[in-house]
Structures are given as structure tokens and as C-alpha cells.
């Protein structure tokens, strides 16, 4: 394993293969009715194919930022421009909680996005079986969410996001509530999906280790009102798919770098 | 849903036995307090009359509940669409709810056919818990799921059908269970208010009629049927609730 390739490169230093931007967010600001200013002057771009983490302490407006990016929440100031005019139709969203419909089976939950997008039942059923197999829930299609463990619920939630074959995958601290073993496993699987689907991921997290493990680029946010205070880039590291990576010195160095940046942001 | 009915049944049996014993021991005349055995005999002797009346009352209750459900659910959906409609109409629904139906019944009897007025009384008291519970349920859809629906541009109709209505179902069924008992009460109150001017064939009318004739055992017999009807309605609606929710809702899932 070539450890040198894992070294992070800090901002200002041009990355080697700069991919085309997918979206440009400019000067995003949001103040809620309660008077709390969640975001102020947030600008960044999302590049095609990257794994972008947004790292910040709880309450720094990360969730609002992600919802604004998805078009689910209107910002007070600023604008988002998508390279193709609109957000990709094939967008997946994974929430903080599994957010499964308790009255529907796992299969029906996973099929929901296709159903809402108007695809026919046969296609949806086929695709659901496929994706459930990929996340290891093929035997649970007819089970109700309450019968699943927390990790399995999150897998179902992930499957629901992946069923549309997303070009853009938005994730809001999806694994924060899971035990470490499940989280590690899901992180690895997420990377595999990211590589296989060749999609763009925007991943909100408060975990330095998750950001270090997963992302090709990390935006560090200040506490409320949230601003992007630092951008840390890593070279795309295929070595991350190595099971040893989590214990490597390169990983520790990355985590340290992010941790320091987060410290500076406070 | 597994329930043990032993304790309440034994309690009830003891109470009835004590009643029977007291009537016999103190030789209370049946015009004052009939023994349970006499009530049972009366029930058997007057069965054609009383069960016919029971059917009348049950039919009113059933249609009132149906009407209350239709109006309550449609209004609740309307409220979920328009905040303005909710603010404008909900207080009026509250006014109907807090006004005793017995006070409205005489007016209804002036404006409507007696049969319709009785139905209206029953529907009026039954409709509020359905409206308020369903409205609460429709507004309780999970925020993240709502986000998911807007992410895929699901319109209002799909969100209602696939998200809001299923979310509201347990709330609605809870309201329905309360409304069932209220509809019976409303039907009885309506019948009493209608009195001899009404169609005069429901159980409440039998009680009044028997009262005028000082036929106390028959009053009790009719009362027993009303009680049984109320219990049966509650049991039926609980069973419906159980059937609808047993696969997924926290209220119906047995702890591991």
C-alpha cells in the first residue's frame, strides 16, 4: 500500500483532477422565525463525483444547509445554481433517523421513491429486490420496520435512497445513532456504493473520524451562525477500500488535521 | 391483543349476586328494585318488543357514526389543506361540542323530521372526537418523511394518500372508539327529547313508556340492553382498531 497517496492536501493547493462542479451555492443565509440565525454567508461548490463532508458541531446549521441544498428549505439570502439547471431528479436523501413509514413493509418503504416518481410497480419491485439484496436485507422485504434493529433500519433507509440510482446522495448524519461496529460496516458499504454508482455525495457529520474516513473533501463549519471556515481536501484514495486503512497512520493524520481545523473553528 | 376478563367478570357476578340476595332478603318490591332474575325474565317475556327497539337504536347509532365519520374526516382533511379553514371553522366545531346535545335537541325537532332529528343529535355528539383526532393525526406526519415526499415532488394528493392518512389512522381509530359510545348516548338523548312526538320505538322511548306505566322491571330490561349495546359497540370498535393496527402500531405490538 502506498501510504503517500493517502496524505491529505490542505486548501489552496490545487487538486490534481479537479472535476466539474455540479452545483454552486453562494452566500446562503438562513434565519428562523424564532430569531435564530442558523447560517450566514455560506458559499461552496459541489463537484461531480466527489464525496464531500460537511463537518461541524451540533447546532451549527448543517441540517438546514443540506435541506436548502436539496431544495426542501428556502434560504433567506443567496442562491444555488445547478449545472444542469435543476437538482438531479435522481437524488437520494438519508436522514438522521431511518424515517421509515411504520405502517409499510421494508419492501414498500424502499419502493416509495420510485412510486412517487411514477415508475411502474414491476420495475419498482424488481429494483427493490435488487437493492435490498445489496444492503443485505433481502430476507426482510415483508417485515415491518419495528421488527428491525437500528442498524437494519438504517440499511433500509439507505436502500430507499439508493433505489433511484442517485446521481446525488445527500446524507444528514445518517449513522450518528448507530453503534460503532454497525457504523464502520455501513461506512465501508457506503464507499462501495459511492464508487459503484459513481455519484456525488454530500455527507453531513459531526464525526471527525467519519469525515476523515469517507470524504475526498471536507468543509469545516463554525458554530452558529454556521459558516464554512475551512476546506480540507484529500486526494482520492483508493486505498481507503483496504480494511487496514482505519488503523493506518495516514488515517490518523487526516483525522488529526480535521480535528485541528474543527478546534480552530470554535 | 390478549386480555384476561376474569377479574371484571367475577366482580360483576358478585355484584349481581349481592343485588339478587339483597332484593330477596329485604323483600324489596319489584316496583322499587327488581331482582336481576326478574329483569332477565322480563327481557325474555318482552323480547320481541325490546329487541325490536334495540335494533332501532342501534341503526340510528350506526348511521350517526357513519355520518359523523364522513363529515369529521372530510373536515379534518379540509383543515389540513387550509390553515385558514381550520382557524375559521374549528371554534364553531368546539361550540357544538361544548353545547349539551339535550339543549339542542328540541330545536332540531322543530326543524327536522323526528327520525332525522334523532340521527342529527347522535351524529352531532359523535363527530367532534373524530374531527379533532383525525385533524391532529393528519398534522402529525413525520417531518423527514414529509421532506422525502417533497424531494420527489409528490403532490398534495399523494402525500395525503400515502403519508398523511396512514399517519392519521391510529388517531382516527382512537377518536372513532370514543365516538361510538357518544353516538349511542346521542341517539338515546335524541329519542328522549323526541318523546311521544317521535317515531317512538327506540330503547329510550321504551324506558320512558315503561316509566309512565310504572313497569320498573321493563325499564331495567331496556337499560340492560342499552348497556350491552354500548359495551358491544366499544368492543367492536376496539377490535377494528386492533385489526387495522396490529401489524405495525406501537399500541398493538406486544413487547418482546
Amino acid at each position: 500500500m502506498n501510504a503517500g497517496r493517502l496524505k491529505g492536501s490542505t486548501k489552496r493547493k490545487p487538486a490534481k483532477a479537479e472535476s466539474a462542479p455540479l452545483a454552486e451555492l453562494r452566500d446562503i443565509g438562513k434565519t428562523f422565525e424564532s430569531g435564530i440565525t442558523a447560517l450566514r454567508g455560506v458559499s461552496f461548490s459541489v463537484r461531480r463525483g466527489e464525496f464531500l463532508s460537511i463537518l461541524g458541531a451540533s447546532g451549527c446549521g448543517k441540517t438546514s444547509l443540506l435541506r436548502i441544498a436539496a431544495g426542501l428549505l428556502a434560504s433567506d439570502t443567496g442562491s444555488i445554481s445547478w449545472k444542469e439547471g435543476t437538482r438531479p431528479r435522481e437524488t437520494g436523501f438519508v436522514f438522521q433517523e431511518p424515517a421509515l413509514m411504520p405502517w409499510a413493509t421494508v419492501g414498500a418503504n424502499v419502493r416509495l421513491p420510485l412510486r412517487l416518481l411514477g415508475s411502474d410497480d414491476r420495475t419498482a419491485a424488481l429494483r427493490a429486490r435488487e437493492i435490498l439484496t445489496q444492503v443485505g436485507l433481502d430476507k426482510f422485504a415483508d417485515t415491518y420496520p419495528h421488527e428491525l434493529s437500528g442498524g437494519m433500519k438504517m440499511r433500509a433507509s439507505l436502500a430507499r435512497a439508493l433505489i433511484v440510482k442517485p446521481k446525488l446522495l445527500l446524507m444528514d448524519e445518517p449513522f450518528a445513532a448507530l453503534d460503532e461496529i454497525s457504523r464502520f460496516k455501513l461506512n465501508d458499504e457506503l464507499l462501495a456504493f459511492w464508487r459503484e454508482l459513481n455519484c456525488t455525495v454530500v455527507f453531513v457529520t459531526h464525526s471527525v473520524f467519519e469525515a476523515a474516513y469517507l470524504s475526498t473533501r471536507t468543509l469545516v463549519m463554525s458554530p452558529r451562525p454556521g459558516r464554512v471556515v475551512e476546506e480540507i481536501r484529500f486526494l482520492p484514495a483508493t486505498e481507503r477500500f483496504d480494511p487496514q486503512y482505519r488503523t493506518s497512520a495516514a488515517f490518523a493524520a487526516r483525522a488529526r488535521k480535521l480535528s485541528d481545523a474543527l478546534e480552530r473553528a470554535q | 391483543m390478549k386480555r384476561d376478563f376474569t377479574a371484571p367478570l367475577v366482580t360483576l357476578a358478585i355484584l349481581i349476586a349481592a343485588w339478587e340476595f339483597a332484593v330477596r332478603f329485604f323483600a324489596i318490591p319489584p316496583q322499587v328494585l327488581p331482582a336481576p332474575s326478574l329483569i332477565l325474565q322480563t327481557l325474555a317475556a318482552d323480547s320481541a318488543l325490546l329487541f325490536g327497539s334495540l335494533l332501532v337504536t342501534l341503526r340510528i347509532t350506526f348511521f350517526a357514526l357513519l355520518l359523523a365519520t364522513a363529515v369529521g374526516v372530510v373536515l379534518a382533511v379540509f383543515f389540513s389543506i387550509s390553515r385558514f379553514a381550520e382557524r375559521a371553522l374549528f371554534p364553531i366545531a368546539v361550540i357544538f361540542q361544548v353545547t349539551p346535545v339535550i339543549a339542542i335537541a328540541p330545536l332540531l325537532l322543530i326543524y327536522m323530521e323526528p327520525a332525522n332529528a334523532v340521527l342529527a343529535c347522535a351524529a352531532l355528539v359523535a363527530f367532534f372526537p373524530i374531527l379533532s383526532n383525525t385533524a391532529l393525526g393528519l398534522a402529525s406526519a413525520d417531518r423527514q418523511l414529509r421532506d422525502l415526499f417533497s424531494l420527489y415532488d409528490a403532490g398534495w394528493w399523494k402525500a395525503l394518500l400515502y403519508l398523511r392518512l396512514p399517519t392519521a389512522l391510529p388517531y382516527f381509530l382512537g377518536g372513532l372508539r370514543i365516538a361510538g359510545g357518544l353516538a349511542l348516548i346521542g341517539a338515546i338523548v335524541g329519542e328522549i327529547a323526541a318523546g311521544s312526538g317521535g317515531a317512538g320505538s327506540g330503547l329510550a322511548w321504551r324506558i320512558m313508556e315503561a316509566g309512565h306505566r310504572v313497569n320498573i322491571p321493563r325499564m331495567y330490561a331496556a337499560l340492560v340492553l342499552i348497556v350491552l349495546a354500548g359495551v358491544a359497540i366499544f368492543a367492536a370498535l376496539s377490535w377494528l382498531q386492533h385489526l387495522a393496527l396490529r401489524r405495525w402500531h406501537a399500541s398493538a405490538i406486544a413487547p418482546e
Side-chain angles (χ1 to χ4, degrees):
Chain A
M1 187 170 107
N2 178 3
R5 285 179 62 192
L6 287 172
K7 275 202 183 123
S9 62
T10 37
K11 62 178 190 175
R12 309 284 175 239
K13 188 178 165 189
K16 271 176 194 145
E18 191 86 321
S19 53
L22 178 70
E24 200 78 53
L25 287 85
R26 257 176 253 103
D27 193 33
I28 300 292
K30 179 75 189 174
T31 301
F32 287 106
E33 269 177 50
S34 55
I36 292 169
T37 301
L39 300 163
R40 185 177 290 159
V42 177
S43 302
F44 64 93
S45 60
V46 180
R47 301 198 188 102
R48 205 177 299 277
E50 76 174 333
F51 197 119
L52 175 67
S53 289
I54 298 175
L55 176 67
S58 291
C60 76
K62 305 184 298 281
T63 297
S64 301
L65 186 58
L66 200 64
R67 293 184 74 223
I68 289 170
L72 297 169
L73 181 70
S75 64
D76 298 331
T77 66
S79 63
I80 309 172
S81 54
W82 295 94
K83 271 295 152 253
E84 278 149 24
T86 56
R87 167 170 62 70
R89 193 173 129 91
E90 299 86 2
T91 296
F93 203 119
V94 184
F95 302 92
Q96 274 178 49
E97 280 121 47
L100 302 169
M101 302 179 291
W103 57 83
T105 60
V106 169
N109 266 290
V110 169
R111 287 195 298 272
L112 178 72
L114 291 184
R115 198 175 179 190
L116 295 179
L117 289 172
S119 59
D120 63 287
D121 291 352
R122 242 176 59 89
T123 316
L126 273 171
R127 185 80 190 109
R129 197 172 313 148
E130 203 177 297
I131 199 77
L132 280 173
T133 308
Q134 281 180 293
V135 299
L137 288 179
D138 44 325
K139 292 193 180 66
F140 297 92
D142 297 323
T143 334
Y144 284 81
H146 73 88
E147 295 167 273
L148 301 183
S149 70
M152 287 157 91
K153 278 181 198 160
M154 219 3 124
R155 281 170 185 279
S157 190
L158 186 62
R160 180 178 63 190
L162 294 173
I163 198 169
V164 299
K165 293 196 171 136
K167 290 189 175 126
L168 174 65
L169 184 55
L170 305 169
M171 308 183 86
D172 185 8
E173 300 191 2
F175 312 135
L178 299 183
D179 61 281
E180 208 164 37
I181 299 165
S182 307
R183 190 163 63 237
F184 283 1
K185 255 190 112 181
L186 275 161
N187 279 343
D188 286 335
E189 288 174 37
L190 176 59
L191 283 177
F193 281 120
W194 170 58
R195 191 163 61 162
E196 183 202 311
L197 287 165
N198 212 4
C199 64
T200 310
V201 180
V202 181
F203 188 91
V204 161
T205 181
H206 61 234
S207 160
V208 165
F209 298 104
E210 243 180 3
Y213 192 67
L214 295 169
S215 43
T216 55
R217 191 162 65 106
T218 302
L219 302 175
V220 180
M221 286 185 75
S222 69
R224 205 164 54 211
R227 287 176 305 113
V228 176
V229 289
E230 208 158 330
E231 176 193 357
I232 293 177
R233 249 176 242 178
F234 301 117
L235 293 175
T238 43
E239 284 84 354
R240 274 187 296 171
F241 297 109
D242 180 14
Q244 302 298 317
Y245 176 58
R246 209 182 281 280
T247 51
S248 70
F251 172 67
R254 274 187 175 194
R256 160 59 67 82
K257 186 170 279 178
L258 287 174
S259 186
D260 289 348
L262 199 58
E263 194 64 43
R264 284 194 294 276
Q266 300 304 310
Chain B
M1 189 170 64
K2 231 165 119 188
R3 285 219 184 117
D4 188 1
F5 289 109
T6 319
L9 285 179
V10 167
T11 313
L12 203 62
I14 290 171
L15 283 175
I16 291 172
W19 178 355
E20 181 80 37
F21 173 78
V23 169
R24 284 167 193 255
F25 186 80
F26 297 110
I28 302 170
Q31 291 84 357
V32 177
L33 183 68
S37 56
L38 179 60
I39 296 170
L40 211 63
Q41 279 166 30
T42 314
L43 209 54
D46 298 347
S47 62
L49 187 77
L50 289 175
F51 280 93
S53 295
L54 173 67
L55 278 184
V56 171
T57 302
L58 280 181
R59 199 167 56 221
I60 294 169
T61 306
F62 177 76
F63 283 110
L65 202 55
L66 219 57
L67 187 67
T69 301
V71 175
V73 170
V74 167
L75 261 184
V77 169
F78 188 46
F79 286 3
S80 80
I81 304 166
S82 158
R83 290 276 308 163
F84 176 77
E86 184 180 359
R87 278 210 301 273
L89 290 175
F90 195 74
I92 296 174
V94 172
I95 288 172
F96 274 110
Q97 153 74 3
V98 298
T99 311
V101 70
I102 189 79
I104 310 175
L107 277 173
L108 291 176
L109 280 157
I110 292 173
Y111 300 132
M112 295 182 198
E113 291 285 311
N116 291 342
V118 173
L119 185 71
C121 277
L124 207 58
V125 286
F127 121 100
F128 190 78
I130 293 178
L131 169 68
S132 69
N133 274 29
T134 310
L136 179 65
L138 289 171
S140 300
D142 181 82
R143 200 189 80 160
Q144 301 181 1
L145 278 171
R146 285 197 324 243
D147 270 357
L148 195 73
F149 273 71
S150 22
L151 188 73
Y152 297 115
D153 294 323
W156 168 83
W157 175 245
K158 276 186 179 172
L160 178 73
L161 217 56
Y162 300 144
L163 178 60
R164 289 187 192 276
L165 284 178
T167 305
L169 185 66
Y171 295 80
F172 162 73
L173 290 170
L176 187 66
R177 212 162 65 154
I178 301 168
L182 287 178
L184 180 66
I185 293 174
I188 299 290
V189 167
E191 280 178 21
I192 288 177
S196 57
S201 53
L203 277 176
W205 168 245
R206 291 294 165 223
I207 289 183
M208 298 218 306
E209 187 192 43
H212 292 316
R213 297 182 189 173
V214 209
N215 186 347
I216 311 296
R218 188 187 280 178
M219 288 177 82
Y220 270 95
L223 189 60
V224 165
L225 285 185
I226 292 175
V227 170
L228 290 179
V231 171
I233 290 169
F234 185 80
L237 294 175
S238 299
W239 181 70
L240 183 72
Q241 188 175 27
H242 174 69
L243 277 190
L245 305 182
R246 73 200 151 119
R247 299 299 303 273
W248 62 274
H249 196 253
S251 67
I253 299 163
E256 301 297 319

